[in-house]
Amino acid sequence: MTKAKEKLKQQKSWKSMLRRRKEISKFPCFSWLMNTVQEDPTGFIKSKDLLAKLSALCNFTITRLGTRRYAMLKNLCPRVRCSNCYEANSGRPTRTTCYRGITWRKCMHKELKTLELEDIRNHLPPPAVYLSNTVAVPSDVVCNGNIVMKQILLCDDKWKLQIRGVDIDLESLGIDPTFTPDQQCLNMVIETVQKVRLCMGVSVDEDQSVPFKEFITMTEDANSENYVSRAKCCLQVVGWYSCGAACQQCHKAYKDYMEAELDQDTSTEEEADPVEDQDPVEDQDPVEDQDPVEDQDPVENQDNSIQVEADPVVDQYNMTAEEIDPVLLDSEDKAELILVFDKAFPNALAERELLLASQTEFNREQYPCGRRWDSKVIGACIKLWEESPQSYRALIDSNKFILPSKKTLTCKWNNYGSEKQMLHCMYQVAVDAKLPACGWAGGIIYDEIAVHKEWTFKLSQVETQVTGWIETGMEGFHICILNQGSVSQKLCSRALQVSFLGYTGFRFPVCQFPTGGVSASELHTILWNVIAALNLWGFQVDFILQNGNKENHSFIQSCFNKSGKESRYCSTNLAIPSTTIIHSQDFSHIMKRLRNAVLCSGHGKGFKRVIMKNGKEIVWKHWEVAVKWDRDVNDGALCENITDAHLAPTKADKKINNVAEDMLNKDMLLLMESYQCSLGDGSYLNSTIDFLKQTSTMIEVFRDELGIAKITDIRLLKLRKVLMWVQQWQRHVMSEKPIETDKQCSMLPVWKFLDDVECLLITFNDICVKHLNQFPDSMVVPSRFNSDGIEDHFRKAKTLYSGSTIKPNYDTYNKTVIQNCIGWEQYQKLKAKKFDLA
């Protein structure tokens, strides 16, 4: 009887403990931790104090934090660590457990303002955004090119979380779904959602065929590309204490799929085994009693798709490509392939016909390593990969086409890119385009793009190459040793791109160098070597186009004995001493700097100078007032394309050419003149209008697509008048002797910049004269005289692999050079040709 009572008592205690554990599991522990502790590198909390507070809320004595709750604390404060500390107890130190790296969160006792649901969009902390009656928090996961958003649905007293259309069970994560409409609770909800871990799926190989395959990257790491398999009923989140990156449903689905594939392969092998019940060979009829071969039906009448009878004894993996006959496609197979291809690439008709023709050259059972891809097929596939990598993967996963993998395409791409090969390719492009004699003449333009600091290993049977170090040639390496006083190697932070710009519009990337911010001495060796190499391949360089940064000014000055202005910026060509070369400036860069100079002109905080002309101010406020008047008075605005980004440009807006030129073109001149007429006394705008007349003239000429065929062209005369106006402005300001020198400088834009404006106006006229004297039947198109092409190339290099906001590494940038300029189809044709300079 006593044993029965003890057993009953033990069962009740177990049931009570399980009931309490169930109640504790429903307690929103993560939300409580969010409101209770915060990260502090110098702070610590004793374990018994933390457990005492938690026990008081749960109405149950908790003796240890446990694995699950410690995982919550670790996700909340990643730097927290558990350690031992000692405290004095009756003169004797006792050891206790504490958590270092956290401290108690301070409570806010002041009354918080209640927010209406309609006003929440105005009180959202970053990075949360308001989208269609929901609050969206972007994650750091990009799935198939789209950023995964965490959507918060706010109700009167509850909030819900949805990820990719799936409702998340907040209670299972220890999150309190209660919502009070105030700023503190809103911030806490968004902070909690940011901590929620997303399910990343189960990692698989690129060529592995699995259901629900996705391409995952991380926004913080451009090289974190991964292919994953996801379950149809994916939970979208993982628990705090989960060691892996995938949820239970994804793990289970992938495991079931692999087991099914294994069972299928096993059953296929069993079916392929010979049947043991067949009669032995000696019991069969002799061969001579069989019908002769010529009396048998031809194999082609038995199967329309196979030309020869397959010998079961011959191992097909040991056969060569000549021994294996191709597969012939019937009308039904061809229609099915066309349907699959058009679904992925509806507008690629030429590539479709080429790939359909290539399918008859390969047997589906052929060993993949035995295939030899034609250059035309490689070019077509790379062009399809450029257009949509996801669609190309879908085409491979359909198992309808035999196509080269991404690894094969990348390998073909990496075999190209050295300077000699680039010049070879450039020559072939010019020959195939049948450029006239004047098309082989032009100039070089160079600029730098910021790249991510990292090195990349390229493994081959011959050697192992490491890219990503600063490499500007042997002379640049020796100069670096002399400057630093030691031999060291650093990772590149920038890529110097040098391109050829022909008079007929022919553009080509000549070479690129990994640099850490190129110096004038490095430019001196690089550019003259490039000009000499171009001359060997038959290209004539008449000018160098550059922007006006410090190192470029130093390089220009190094090419002249005195000053460039005295020589009209024309120096001896060091690569070919019998000729001369002109050092010019980039028009697009000039216009952006002109806008920035006026943007900094004004009175008050944030303005650096007050630009003056004939005693009248040229300040940015004139533009703001004129645009405001245009919007308030005119029903049809004179400048419809002027937005707030034009009036208050951000750092990114300042790099856009149109944003600068829209504030300085003839439409803005018309608006300023109309605004002056509406005023009683608008004489204070005279200098501003005079300034706009000159800038609008420059924009009108340098954006004109009509070529200049004669030296007496009216547009060259207009530019000479603008040059005279700039020079007269400089002389007029500096002739006012009573004014201090510093104040005189503040009445003009930066002196070096005004020299760049003069350089552009002087050199463009000289370039036109030089080219038209050498090629009288040719012309110079002003709209080509800028760096828009190389900037567009930089923009494509960023967005093609990494995204517009992420810097590519040097190896990734190097892969996009030919791809963005001539395309892969043209590249494959040129690669097949051979040319010997000798």
Side-chain angles (χ1 to χ4, degrees):
M1 191 69 181
T2 305
K3 292 182 179 181
K5 288 182 179 181
E6 290 179 357
K7 187 175 181 180
L8 182 62
K9 185 178 180 180
Q10 186 178 6
Q11 289 178 355
K12 288 182 179 180
S13 63
W14 276 103
K15 289 181 180 179
S16 177
M17 186 181 65
L18 293 175
R19 191 184 310 111
R20 290 173 182 175
R21 285 187 177 180
K22 189 175 181 180
E23 293 176 356
I24 293 175
S25 63
K26 294 182 179 180
F27 177 73
C29 186
F30 187 81
S31 297
W32 176 78
L33 289 173
M34 286 278 296
N35 293 301
T36 306
V37 300
Q38 63 181 4
E39 196 166 8
D40 183 7
T42 60
F44 70 93
I45 297 177
K46 295 180 180 179
S47 176
K48 62 180 182 179
D49 296 339
L50 186 65
L51 296 177
K53 285 193 174 185
L54 184 59
S55 301
L57 291 174
C58 297
N59 296 323
F60 178 77
T61 302
I62 301 177
T63 57
R64 61 189 185 91
L65 195 61
T67 305
R68 187 171 182 268
R69 286 185 287 271
Y70 182 73
M72 292 181 182
L73 183 61
K74 194 71 176 175
N75 281 272
L76 179 60
C77 304
R79 296 184 179 179
V80 67
R81 65 187 188 278
C82 182
S83 64
N84 295 327
C85 62
Y86 295 87
E87 59 181 4
N89 187 7
S90 300
R92 185 178 180 181
T94 57
R95 187 175 64 178
T96 182
T97 304
C98 68
Y99 299 102
R100 299 189 182 275
I102 59 174
T103 186
W104 300 110
R105 185 185 291 270
K106 296 180 180 179
C107 299
M108 299 179 61
H109 298 288
K110 62 180 182 180
E111 296 183 359
L112 298 175
K113 181 181 177 182
T114 302
L115 302 176
E116 298 293 337
L117 292 179
E118 293 78 7
D119 299 334
I120 284 181
R121 68 171 66 189
N122 301 324
H123 297 80
L124 289 176
V129 294
Y130 191 84
L131 297 175
S132 62
N133 299 326
T134 61
V135 178
V137 180
S139 66
D140 56 351
V141 180
V142 181
C143 179
N144 295 333
N146 300 316
I147 297 178
V148 179
M149 305 294 288
K150 303 174 183 177
Q151 294 184 334
I152 305 173
L153 307 178
L154 299 177
C155 304
D156 295 334
D157 56 349
K158 298 282 185 181
W159 67 277
K160 299 180 181 179
L161 177 62
Q162 282 187 352
I163 300 177
R164 303 175 71 177
V166 178
D167 292 331
I168 307 302
D169 186 8
L170 299 178
E171 293 184 356
S172 63
L173 297 176
I175 299 176
D176 187 9
T178 305
F179 177 73
T180 56
D182 56 59
Q183 188 67 47
Q184 181 180 358
C185 183
L186 182 62
N187 295 343
M188 195 61 65
V189 168
I190 294 176
E191 186 179 354
T192 302
V193 171
Q194 287 179 318
K195 297 290 184 180
V196 173
R197 298 172 55 193
L198 296 181
C199 172
M200 301 295 293
V202 181
S203 298
V204 296
D205 295 334
E206 178 183 357
D207 300 331
Q208 187 175 356
S209 178
V210 293
F212 300 100
K213 188 176 182 181
E214 294 179 346
F215 181 63
I216 298 292
T217 57
M218 306 298 292
T219 57
E220 298 179 354
D221 187 2
N223 300 315
S224 60
E225 299 179 354
N226 191 20
Y227 293 88
V228 300
S229 173
R230 192 179 297 276
K232 187 175 182 180
C233 53
C234 175
L235 301 178
Q236 301 300 330
V237 295
V238 294
W240 306 114
Y241 50 88
S242 176
C243 298
C247 65
Q248 297 178 356
Q249 296 293 337
C250 292
H251 276 297
K252 184 177 181 301
Y254 180 74
K255 182 179 179 181
D256 294 343
Y257 174 77
M258 295 305 296
E259 290 178 353
E261 286 288 321
L262 183 61
D263 295 341
Q264 184 177 0
D265 295 341
T266 305
S267 60
T268 304
E269 292 177 358
E270 292 177 355
E271 293 176 0
D273 291 339
V275 182
E276 298 179 356
D277 296 337
Q278 291 183 352
D279 296 332
V281 178
E282 54 270 20
D283 295 339
Q284 296 180 4
D285 295 334
V287 178
E288 54 268 20
D289 295 337
Q290 296 180 3
D291 296 333
V293 176
E294 54 268 20
D295 294 338
Q296 297 180 4
D297 294 334
V299 179
E300 55 195 17
N301 294 334
Q302 302 174 8
D303 190 351
N304 295 330
S305 61
I306 298 185
Q307 294 180 331
V308 296
E309 183 179 4
D311 190 355
V313 180
V314 178
D315 186 4
Q316 60 178 346
Y317 296 114
N318 297 326
M319 297 174 66
T320 61
E322 292 78 6
E323 295 171 346
I324 299 178
D325 291 328
V327 174
L328 297 180
L329 301 177
D330 55 16
S331 58
E332 294 182 359
D333 294 337
K334 189 173 182 179
E336 185 179 0
L337 292 178
I338 292 176
L339 183 63
V340 173
F341 187 90
D342 289 345
K343 187 176 180 180
F345 299 98
N347 299 322
L349 299 180
E351 289 76 11
R352 185 188 70 183
E353 297 300 326
L354 180 61
L355 294 182
L356 286 176
S358 68
Q359 300 307 298
T360 61
E361 301 176 5
F362 298 104
N363 191 305
R364 290 195 180 277
E365 302 299 330
Q366 183 182 353
Y367 188 56
C369 295
R371 300 187 185 124
R372 296 296 179 265
W373 300 103
D374 185 74
S375 60
K376 294 182 179 180
V377 177
I378 290 289
C381 292
I382 294 180
K383 188 175 182 181
L384 296 177
W385 178 269
E386 289 178 24
E387 183 177 345
S388 176
Q390 181 181 358
S391 300
Y392 186 81
R393 290 191 210 99
L395 205 61
I396 295 178
D397 295 340
S398 66
N399 295 326
K400 300 295 183 181
F401 283 88
I402 303 176
L403 299 175
S405 63
K406 179 187 174 182
K407 183 178 180 181
T408 303
L409 302 183
T410 305
C411 180
K412 295 293 183 181
W413 158 251
N414 288 338
N415 291 335
Y416 220 72
S418 66
E419 181 179 351
K420 183 178 179 181
Q421 291 171 323
M422 296 284 284
L423 290 170
H424 178 193
C425 188
M426 177 179 175
Y427 177 86
Q428 292 293 349
V429 171
V431 171
D432 293 345
K434 298 181 180 180
L435 289 180
C438 62
W440 294 75
I444 60 173
I445 179 173
Y446 65 92
D447 202 352
E448 285 187 300
I449 180 177
V451 296
H452 185 60
K453 288 185 178 181
E454 65 179 12
W455 60 68
T456 306
F457 293 90
K458 292 183 179 180
L459 304 178
S460 64
Q461 297 179 354
V462 181
E463 60 180 354
T464 301
Q465 296 180 351
V466 181
T467 60
W469 301 111
I470 295 178
E471 297 178 7
T472 57
M474 290 303 299
E475 294 183 8
F477 180 68
H478 294 154
I479 292 174
C480 183
I481 294 176
L482 294 176
N483 292 335
Q484 297 179 358
S486 62
V487 180
S488 61
Q489 191 73 291
K490 296 181 179 180
L491 290 173
C492 68
S493 59
R494 291 180 174 275
L496 175 67
Q497 178 66 55
V498 183
S499 299
F500 179 81
L501 176 62
Y503 289 108
T504 59
F506 173 72
R507 285 192 177 99
F508 202 91
V510 181
C511 56
Q512 53 277 347
F513 295 89
T515 68
V518 67
S519 62
S521 59
E522 292 172 339
L523 282 175
H524 196 278
T525 57
I526 289 174
L527 295 182
W528 291 121
N529 288 334
V530 169
I531 293 173
L534 287 171
N535 180 68
L536 289 175
W537 288 84
F539 294 95
Q540 174 184 326
V541 179
D542 293 338
F543 61 89
I544 301 176
L545 199 62
Q546 56 210 332
N547 56 35
N549 63 25
K550 181 180 178 181
E551 297 298 332
N552 292 342
H553 282 136
S554 301
F555 164 69
I556 294 175
Q557 190 60 34
S558 67
C559 299
F560 300 95
N561 294 328
K562 296 181 180 180
S563 66
K565 187 182 297 186
E566 295 179 1
S567 304
R568 294 184 65 86
Y569 300 96
C570 182
S571 70
T572 303
N573 191 338
L574 299 183
I576 313 169
S578 60
T579 61
T580 58
I581 197 162
I582 300 173
H583 302 264
S584 186
Q585 295 290 328
D586 172 30
F587 165 74
S588 299
H589 191 73
I590 289 290
M591 298 314 298
K592 285 183 283 191
R593 292 188 66 184
L594 268 177
R595 187 277 317 278
N596 293 341
V598 181
L599 187 64
C600 298
S601 175
H603 300 278
K605 186 178 180 180
F607 295 100
K608 300 179 180 179
R609 59 175 52 86
V610 179
I611 300 178
M612 304 286 292
K613 177 70 169 68
N614 296 331
K616 304 293 183 182
E617 296 179 350
I618 304 176
V619 294
W620 188 249
K621 186 177 180 181
H622 295 168
W623 276 262
E624 294 176 345
V625 176
V627 172
K628 186 177 183 303
W629 170 83
D630 185 29
R631 293 175 178 178
D632 296 340
V633 175
N634 299 325
D635 295 335
L638 297 177
C639 293
E640 297 179 352
N641 55 341
I642 301 299
T643 63
D644 293 338
H646 291 74
L647 298 175
T650 61
K651 187 176 180 180
D653 295 332
K654 291 180 180 179
K655 299 179 181 179
I656 303 176
N657 296 333
N658 292 338
V659 175
E661 295 176 13
D662 288 343
M663 304 301 290
L664 302 173
N665 58 11
K666 60 182 180 180
D667 293 335
M668 181 55 67
L669 173 62
L670 176 62
L671 171 60
M672 198 67 71
E673 290 176 341
S674 302
Y675 175 62
Q676 186 185 36
C677 294
S678 67
L679 301 175
D681 183 13
S683 59
Y684 69 93
L685 294 175
N686 289 340
S687 296
T688 302
I689 292 176
D690 194 16
F691 174 78
L692 284 173
K693 287 180 180 178
Q694 314 309 319
T695 57
S696 61
T697 300
M698 293 178 63
I699 294 174
E700 182 181 1
V701 172
F702 282 101
R703 292 303 181 189
D704 193 355
E705 297 182 357
L706 181 63
I708 297 175
K710 295 182 179 180
I711 303 175
T712 58
D713 195 289
I714 188 65
R715 288 168 289 181
L716 296 179
L717 180 60
K718 290 181 179 179
L719 293 181
R720 295 192 193 104
K721 291 182 178 179
V722 175
L723 175 61
M724 294 173 58
W725 182 86
V726 173
Q727 293 174 344
Q728 183 183 5
W729 184 17
Q730 286 180 314
R731 290 193 297 267
H732 175 72
V733 172
M734 299 308 295
S735 64
E736 298 181 2
K737 296 182 179 179
I739 303 178
E740 298 177 0
T741 305
D742 295 340
K743 191 171 182 180
Q744 287 176 338
C745 294
S746 66
M747 297 170 66
L748 290 170
V750 182
W751 279 107
K752 290 184 178 180
F753 168 61
L754 289 178
D755 292 340
D756 293 345
V757 177
E758 288 189 55
C759 176
L760 172 66
L761 298 174
I762 292 172
T763 54
F764 182 73
N765 180 81
D766 293 348
I767 290 171
C768 292
V769 173
K770 180 178 181 179
H771 182 66
L772 294 178
N773 286 337
Q774 184 179 2
F775 302 99
D777 297 334
S778 180
M779 62 178 61
V780 178
V781 180
S783 62
R784 297 171 182 162
F785 204 77
N786 52 60
S787 63
D788 294 353
I790 201 169
E791 289 182 359
D792 183 58
H793 169 66
F794 287 162
R795 199 176 303 111
K796 289 180 179 178
K798 281 186 176 181
T799 57
L800 188 61
Y801 290 102
S802 306
S804 59
T805 59
I806 302 176
K807 295 186 293 186
N809 58 27
Y810 180 74
D811 184 63
T812 302
Y813 170 76
N814 197 22
K815 293 178 182 179
T816 62
V817 175
I818 296 179
Q819 188 171 351
N820 290 334
C821 294
I822 63 173
W824 271 101
E825 182 179 3
Q826 179 71 7
Y827 155 67
Q828 289 295 333
K829 294 179 181 178
L830 299 174
K831 186 180 176 183
K833 297 184 179 180
K834 295 184 179 180
F835 176 78
D836 188 3
L837 184 60

